[in-house]
């Protein structure tokens, strides 16, 4: 199987829809899962690459950010809602580590508290989407036929609606007065991620349920539920977990976009997107107001993608596909 | 003859269409429609069965989309009648508007009526805008399609050379540098790129120790029609297109690179090399085409996703496109516009995907024989 990724399956792939380029690549990779890495395959491809220092740097950054966000209330951070007099648009100083915004807020503590919103929403959203989308994909890939046809049609239909558009309409129609925005955001993000996750799981399940050990389990009279959970799921899971990280990264971007448009959690709670949006007016005189929240978001998204990519690579034991 | 090389007919036809539309007032809507028609006709002439199957396959998706969009809007809480009239409306007035909108009828009757109107090209009339939805969308579709085309062109200009070069130098320093930089672009959200482009190209950049790092050469917002002033039009579209293109090119480049690395390991490349062909010729003529399948699919998806998906870019650069239209409609709780707009966006998306499927006919000779699409090659 040295063939280029695409040439084996050009026409069939396109009939199915996917949300982003990454996901397509994911599906293409998953569809081509090689046999056990212990056996056979290309000799060169078996050598497992080290995860590398960048991987650990990304993991460290994510861990630190998460810990800081969780323990923000007990950390010696300045009050994010307080305006400090005479500090408007000041650059970084020893007292205010990352400077102050136009209103004189401390940017550092606002970034940490902003991480709370982004991370909670993305994490909880991805977990629920994983549970729901995973089950749907598993069922569709295992039962095939009618179940698969119906599921695929519905998934395709939701995938052709741009995610941001879907998110904005759901948020504004479900929660016009921002009464329970966090809950609604999570709900919307679950809705957004079910389809991509279900697709990837389905593609992978299709491949795995063809394998001999599944056949063996069937002949031994195992029930469908047992086969799905004990035989197929453990094989699908590793790739799925790393894909979930990429889904989380996407959700953080969508949350950023939503808060940029002023529709995420209402003030005074800070969000990264809102900080970037507010800072736009002072961009030419005090770019750090935009720069630091943008960097925080950039490193978070980059780290999640990088960790996800690396893990995926490792689980798949393929070296050619980045 | 056509079956062997469909591009001999389609390519001149497409160029003629684009040129014709360009000189006869560049209405991108007409170009789009013409491309759809030429593409479909060419596909039918090349491999009728394949084309038919693709087109028939779209129908259930579109029906499912219309159902999802309609039921989503119907299930959502909040009475559209109250949204229109305001909270202080009398019950009688609300009842009257509900009857006018047909809201008191059963769900499936309403869906049927809506679908019937759709087929006739009637997307309903927005009460808030006092304008048919189809008309509003028609006015705003042009900037969106232009933005889409320009950003894909820019993204390809970046992605193709970089992807081919990175694959050629795989694992070595140029490859690693390109990969890292592109992964960086990929991780920056669109709107952050947009804000930074405005900073460095529109408002004069940062001031570091008294020197300004940046330029003030391009307008940061606004839209000028092509017909009005072409130069100004491109100046205004450059930053928005670029802000979308950078992230896209990262995705394209990564896919092209990984597929190309696979292709370069195949025996026919060794053959080409032993024939003494130049590296450039092997890379661009022999290796590129079979490496483009995944890329093409993904390009279809991301081009399609730009219609309406570029919402935030359109809002930042105040382009009067369909993204801005939708954002406004959503903010005003204009149910009818949101329904119609979402459906149009989804339909255009699906149409672009079908066009990409047809492009496979030009790329992959195996598909040109009738029935060739069934097996999909043997990998």
């Amino acid at each position: 199987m040295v063939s280029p990724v695409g040439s084996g399956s050009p026409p069939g792939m396109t009939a199915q829809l996917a949300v982003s380029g990454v996901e397509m690549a994911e599906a293409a990779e998953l569809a081509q899962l090689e046999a056990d890495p212990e056996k056979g395959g290309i000799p060169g491809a078996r050598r497992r690459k080290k995860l590398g220092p960048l991987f650990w740097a990304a993991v460290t950054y994510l861990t630190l950010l998460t810990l800081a966000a969780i323990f923000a209330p007990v950390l010696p951070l300045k009050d994010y809602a307080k305006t400090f007099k005479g500090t408007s648009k000041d650059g970084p100083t020893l007292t205010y580590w990352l400077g102050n915004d136009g209103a004189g807020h401390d940017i550092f503590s606002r970034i940490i508290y902003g991480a709370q919103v982004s991370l909670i929403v993305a994490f909880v959203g991805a977990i629920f989407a994983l549970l729901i989308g995973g089950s749907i994909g598993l069922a569709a890939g295992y039962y095939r036929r009618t179940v698969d046809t119906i599921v695929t049609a519905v998934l395709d239909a939701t995938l052709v609606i741009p995610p941001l558009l879907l998110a904005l309409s759901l948020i504004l129609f479900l929660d016009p007065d921002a009464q329970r925005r966090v809950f609604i955001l999570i709900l919307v993000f679950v809705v957004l991620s079910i389809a991509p996750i279900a697709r990837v799981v389905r593609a992978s399940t299709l491949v795995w349920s063809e394998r001999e050990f599944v056949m063996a389990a069937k002949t031994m009279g195992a029930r469908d539920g047992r086969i799905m959970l004990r035989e197929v799921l453990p094989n699908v899971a590793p790739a799925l977990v790393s894909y979930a990280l990429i889904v989380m990264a996407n959700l953080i971007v969508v949350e950023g976009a939503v808060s940029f448009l002023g529709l995420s959690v209402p003030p005074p709670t800070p969000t990264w997107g809102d900080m970037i949006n507010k800072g736009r007016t002072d961009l030419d005189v005090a770019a750090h107001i935009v720069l630091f929240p943008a960097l925080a978001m950039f490193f978070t998204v980059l780290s999640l993608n990088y960790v996800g990519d690396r893990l995926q690579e490792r689980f798949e034991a393929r070296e050619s596909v980045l | 003859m056509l079956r062997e090389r469909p591009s001999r007919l389609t390519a001149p036809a497409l160029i003629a269409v684009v040129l014709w539309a360009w000189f006869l007032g560049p209405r991108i809507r007409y170009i789009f429609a013409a491309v759809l028609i030429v593409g479909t006709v060419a596909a039918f002439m090349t491999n009728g069965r394949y084309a038919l199957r693709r087109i028939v396959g779209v129908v259930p998706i579109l029906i499912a989309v219309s159902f999802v969009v309609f039921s989503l809007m119907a299930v959502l809480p909040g009475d559209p009648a109250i949204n229109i009239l305001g909270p202080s409306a009398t019950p009688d007035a609300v009842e009257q508007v509900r009857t006018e909108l047909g809201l008191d009828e059963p769900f499936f009757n309403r869906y049927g009526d809506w679908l019937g109107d759709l087929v006739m090209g009637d997307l309903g009339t927005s009460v808030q805008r006092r304008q048919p939805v189809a008309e509003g969308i028609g006015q705003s579709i042009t900037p969106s399609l232009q933005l889409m085309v320009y950003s894909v062109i820019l993204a390809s200009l970046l992605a193709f050379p970089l992807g081919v070069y990175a694959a050629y130098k795989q694992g070595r320093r140029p490859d690693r540098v390109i990969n890292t930089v592109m992964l960086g672009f990929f991780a920056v959200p669109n709107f952050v790129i947009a804000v930074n482009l405005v900073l460095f190209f529109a408002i004069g950049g940062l001031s570091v120790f008294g020197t300004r790092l940046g330029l003030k050469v391009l307008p940061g917002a606004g839209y000028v029609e092509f017909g009005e002033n072409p130069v100004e039009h491109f100046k205004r579209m450059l930053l928005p297109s670029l802000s979308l293109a950078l992230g896209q090119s990262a995705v394209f480049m990564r896919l092209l690179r990984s597929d190309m690395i696979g292709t370069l390991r195949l025996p026919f490349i060794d053959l080409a090399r032993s024939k003494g062909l130049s590296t450039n010729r092997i890379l661009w003529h022999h290796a590129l085409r079979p490496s483009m399948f995944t890329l093409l699919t993904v390009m279809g998806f991301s081009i399609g996703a730009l219609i309406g998906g570029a919402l935030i870019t359109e809002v930042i650069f105040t382009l009067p496109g369909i993204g801005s239209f939708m954002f406004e409609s959503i903010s005003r709780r204009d149910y009818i516009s949101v329904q119609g707009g979402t459906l149009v966006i989804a339909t255009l998306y699906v149409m672009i995907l079908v066009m990409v499927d047809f492009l496979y006919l030009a790329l992959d000779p195996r598909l040109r024989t009738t029935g060739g699409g069934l097996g999909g090659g043997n990998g």
Side-chain angles (χ1 to χ4, degrees), chain B residues 242-297:
Chain B
L242 199 61
S243 76
L244 291 173
L246 285 177
Q248 278 191 321
S249 66
V251 177
F252 295 171
M253 176 262 156
R254 280 167 51 130
L255 284 173
L256 183 60
R257 174 189 169 276
S258 68
D259 276 9
M260 189 110 173
I261 288 176
T263 311
L264 289 177
R265 291 200 191 123
L266 294 178
F268 79 93
I269 297 294
D270 294 331
L271 175 72
R273 219 168 257 154
S274 59
K275 280 200 298 190
L277 295 179
S278 76
T279 310
N280 269 328
R281 192 164 170 85
I282 294 176
L283 287 177
W284 289 97
H285 287 253
H286 296 228
L288 186 60
R289 189 206 272 227
S291 313
M292 270 171 56
F293 295 112
T294 321
L295 175 67
L296 199 67
T297 308

Side-chain angles (χ1 to χ4, degrees), chain A residues 3 5-8 11 14 16-18 21-22 24-25 160 165 172-174 256-257 260 284 287 297-298 301 305-306 309, chain B residues 54 65 76-77 184 186-189 191 206 212 254-255 259 294 297-298 301 326 330 333 349 353 357 360 366 376 379:
Chain A
S3 66
V5 176
S7 70
T14 9
Q16 307 156 359
L17 312 169
V22 186
M24 254 334 280
V160 288
L165 197 62
L172 270 176
F173 286 119
L174 283 177
F260 184 85
D284 47 343
M297 190 186 289
F298 169 68
V301 175
N305 272 312
Y306 192 79
D309 264 4
Chain B
R54 286 287 160 260
V65 169
L76 289 178
F186 176 69
V188 193
F191 58 92
L206 299 168
R212 292 209 73 83
R254 280 167 51 130
L255 284 173
D259 276 9
T294 321
T297 308
V298 172
F301 290 124
M326 293 304 287
I330 295 172
R333 315 269 135 71
Y349 193 172
L353 291 180
D357 270 342
Y360 278 119
R366 288 172 303 182

Side-chain angles (χ1 to χ4, degrees), chain A residues 134-214:
Chain A
S135 330
I136 295 176
L138 212 54
Y142 183 77
Y143 290 114
R144 307 186 186 206
R145 295 169 198 275
T146 329
V147 183
D148 192 27
T149 316
I150 295 172
V151 167
T152 315
V154 175
L155 293 183
D156 285 353
T158 48
L159 282 169
V160 288
I161 303 173
L164 186 58
L165 197 62
L166 192 59
L168 291 179
S169 1
L170 285 178
I171 290 170
L172 270 176
F173 286 119
L174 283 177
D175 185 31
D177 311 316
Q179 296 293 321
R180 40 202 177 127
R181 203 36 75 82
V182 175
F183 172 73
I184 294 293
L185 278 174
I186 292 176
L187 183 79
V188 168
F189 287 176
V190 172
V191 171
L192 286 186
S193 338
I194 284 179
I197 290 184
R199 288 206 65 91
V200 171
V201 175
R202 174 187 164 274
S204 185
T205 308
L206 280 177
V207 177
W208 283 105
S209 45
E210 291 275 281
R211 299 288 300 276
E212 301 83 352
F213 58 84
V214 173

Side-chain angles (χ1 to χ4, degrees), chain A residues 57-72:
Chain A
V59 171
T60 315
Y61 171 77
L62 289 174
T63 317
L64 283 179
L65 188 70
T66 315
L67 288 179
I70 293 174
F71 294 110

Side-chain angles (χ1 to χ4, degrees), chain B residues 91-359:
Chain B
D92 282 350
V94 170
E95 203 47 51
Q96 197 189 338
V97 172
R98 285 182 63 90
T99 321
E100 268 171 38
L101 295 173
L103 285 174
D104 39 11
E105 281 180 51
F107 176 81
F108 278 99
N109 287 11
R110 277 192 286 150
Y111 177 60
D113 287 349
W114 186 65
L115 214 56
D117 287 347
L118 274 184
V119 176
M120 305 304 290
D122 179 9
L123 295 172
T125 302
S126 156
V127 184
Q128 281 93 331
R129 287 175 203 271
R130 296 169 207 294
Q131 180 193 34
V133 175
E135 203 181 299
I137 292 173
Q139 288 164 355
S140 60
I141 198 81
T142 307
S144 292
L145 289 178
Q146 284 166 335
L147 187 63
M148 174 183 100
V149 173
Y150 300 156
S151 64
V152 170
I153 293 175
L154 284 178
S156 310
L157 284 179
L158 268 172
F160 274 85
L162 288 178
V164 170
Y165 187 64
Y168 176 57
K169 293 272 183 194
Q170 69 162 297
R172 280 179 280 168
R173 182 168 301 221
D175 178 31
R176 282 204 304 261
V177 171
I178 292 174
N179 260 315
T180 315
V181 173
M182 286 317 228
L183 191 67
F185 279 134
F186 176 69
V188 193
N190 270 334
F191 58 92
V192 174
I193 298 187
V195 168
N196 278 303
L197 286 176
V198 169
L199 172 64
F200 285 107
F201 293 102
I203 58 173
L206 299 168
S207 175
V208 181
F209 302 117
T211 39
R212 292 209 73 83
L213 276 179
L215 303 161
K216 219 171 182 165
V217 286
L218 292 166
Y223 175 74
V224 171
E225 269 177 46
F226 179 85
E228 209 174 293
N229 184 347
V231 178
E232 192 60 27
H233 169 78
F234 284 119
K235 268 172 114 179
R236 289 191 189 240
M237 294 301 277
L238 183 61
L239 289 186
S241 317
L242 199 61
S243 76
L244 291 173
L246 285 177
Q248 278 191 321
S249 66
V251 177
F252 295 171
M253 176 262 156
R254 280 167 51 130
L255 284 173
L256 183 60
R257 174 189 169 276
S258 68
D259 276 9
M260 189 110 173
I261 288 176
T263 311
L264 289 177
R265 291 200 191 123
L266 294 178
F268 79 93
I269 297 294
D270 294 331
L271 175 72
R273 219 168 257 154
S274 59
K275 280 200 298 190
L277 295 179
S278 76
T279 310
N280 269 328
R281 192 164 170 85
I282 294 176
L283 287 177
W284 289 97
H285 287 253
H286 296 228
L288 186 60
R289 189 206 272 227
S291 313
M292 270 171 56
F293 295 112
T294 321
L295 175 67
L296 199 67
T297 308
V298 172
M299 276 177 98
F301 290 124
S302 64
I303 295 168
L306 282 181
I307 309 176
L311 186 147
I312 203 158
T313 313
E314 289 180 7
V315 172
I316 292 176
F317 289 98
T318 60
L319 297 177
I322 198 159
S324 304
F325 174 86
M326 293 304 287
F327 184 55
E328 225 176 90
S329 308
I330 295 172
S331 317
R332 288 192 199 169
R333 315 269 135 71
D334 185 346
Y335 281 76
I336 300 169
S337 296
V338 173
Q339 256 178 0
T342 312
L343 196 76
V344 169
I345 289 170
T347 310
L348 287 175
Y349 193 172
V350 173
M351 268 150 60
I352 289 176
L353 291 180
V354 173
M355 281 301 114
V356 170
D357 270 342
F358 287 165
L359 262 183

Side-chain angles (χ1 to χ4, degrees), chain A residues 258-322:
Chain A
V258 170
S259 57
F260 184 85
L261 293 170
L263 295 175
S264 184
V265 187
T269 314
T271 51
W272 292 345
D274 184 53
M275 293 169 75
I276 296 173
N277 186 33
K278 294 262 167 61
R280 274 165 73 201
T281 41
D282 303 317
L283 207 51
D284 47 343
V285 282
H288 70 275
I289 302 174
V290 166
L291 190 69
F292 289 125
L295 278 180
M297 190 186 289
F298 169 68
F299 281 123
T300 313
V301 175
L302 185 66
S303 305
L304 282 170
N305 272 312
Y306 192 79
V307 173
D309 264 4
R310 270 293 124 90
L311 290 179
Q312 189 109 39
E313 216 171 80
R314 200 169 176 148
F315 289 136
E316 288 188 12
R318 283 178 47 135
E319 64 166 10
S320 71
V321 183
L322 182 90

